[in-house]
Amino acid sequence: MKLLEGKVALVTGATRGIGRAIALKFAENGANVAFTYLSSVAAAESLVAEIEALGCRAVGYASNASDFAGAHAVVEQVVADFGQIDILVNNAGQTKDGLIMRMSEEQWDSIIDTNLKSAFNFTHAVVPLMARRRAGSIVNMSSVVGTNGNAGQSNYAASKAGLIGLTKSIAKELGGRNIRCNAIAPGFIVTDMTDKLSDDIKAKLVADISLGRMGTAEEIANVALFLASDMSSYISGEVIKVAGCMKG
């Protein structure tokens, strides 16, 4: 039997990078997958086709994850379409970097809303469903920037640190309902975001990683699979760094 056989997972921001890898990894392990995307219908349709080719059901929902009412509407539709939600992965996120003295209010608010408020929105909508069934796993996608900070990313760092606080609080609140909540803190991962970095910057980043390389989205997805499955049934409130033993 596959690790997620009979489960329904909802993954936010799943049409690229880490979110896409998680959605596919879950499907490979038997889960039916609902996912959200912001704008690219073609990317959503492509992901649906890949998941269905694995023998699982998939539906993509256009959604601005930072919109509270919209998140609740998506969850209601997922339940109507799939009947349940067993796993929630709060992955939706973006960056708008800048030095704090030059950062605009819009840059700050946009990142906090997209990266942190979105997790509150979907968790708020999903928890009553999980509580009634007395089972569920929530995985929040944080970052090593949320644990270590990073110059020029105060908004991003604050949002990812906030996810860690949210994770630990939810775990304590909902453990009695058999709902687990954990966070993953990826290091520097090969995605379209890091592809934009210059070769010099990438070389400097790799020099600070003990394993001597950047990670892959699939390596993050493997940890998400573990946290979503019953293999981690006694793990809650934890933050797992997946960063190749970064120095400092």
Side-chain angles (χ1 to χ4, degrees), residues 195-208:
D195 283 344
K196 298 174 184 176
L197 300 175
S198 69
D199 290 340
D200 286 345
I201 291 176
K202 289 179 184 178
K204 289 177 182 178
L205 294 175
V206 170
D208 286 333

Side-chain angles (χ1 to χ4, degrees), residues 187-228:
F188 291 101
I189 308 301
V190 178
T191 65
D192 55 358
M193 285 187 182
T194 54
D195 283 344
K196 298 174 184 176
L197 300 175
S198 69
D199 290 340
D200 286 345
I201 291 176
K202 289 179 184 178
K204 289 177 182 178
L205 294 175
V206 170
D208 286 333
I209 299 172
S210 295
L211 289 183
R213 64 175 178 85
M214 297 175 71
T216 67
E218 183 168 9
E219 287 172 317
I220 305 302
N222 287 335
V223 179
L225 171 64
F226 170 70
L227 292 174

Side-chain angles (χ1 to χ4, degrees), residues 83-163:
Q84 65 193 58
I85 298 174
D86 303 288
I87 302 155
L88 170 65
V89 179
N90 286 309
N91 171 75
Q94 64 173 338
T95 58
K96 288 188 178 181
D97 297 346
L99 297 175
I100 189 67
M101 68 177 67
R102 297 172 185 164
M103 184 173 291
S104 67
E105 182 180 13
E106 186 279 330
Q107 282 177 289
W108 177 272
D109 288 347
S110 176
I111 295 306
I112 297 299
D113 285 350
T114 301
N115 297 1
L116 180 56
K117 187 188 174 194
S118 64
F120 163 74
N121 293 342
F122 276 91
T123 300
H124 188 275
V126 163
V127 159
L129 307 171
M130 293 181 171
R132 284 197 292 272
R133 303 182 74 230
R134 301 190 69 82
S137 177
I138 300 170
V139 179
N140 292 325
M141 201 57 57
S142 183
S143 168
V144 292
V145 176
T147 61
N148 300 352
N150 196 34
Q153 289 192 302
S154 59
N155 52 358
Y156 185 77
S159 70
K160 295 301 186 177
L163 279 173

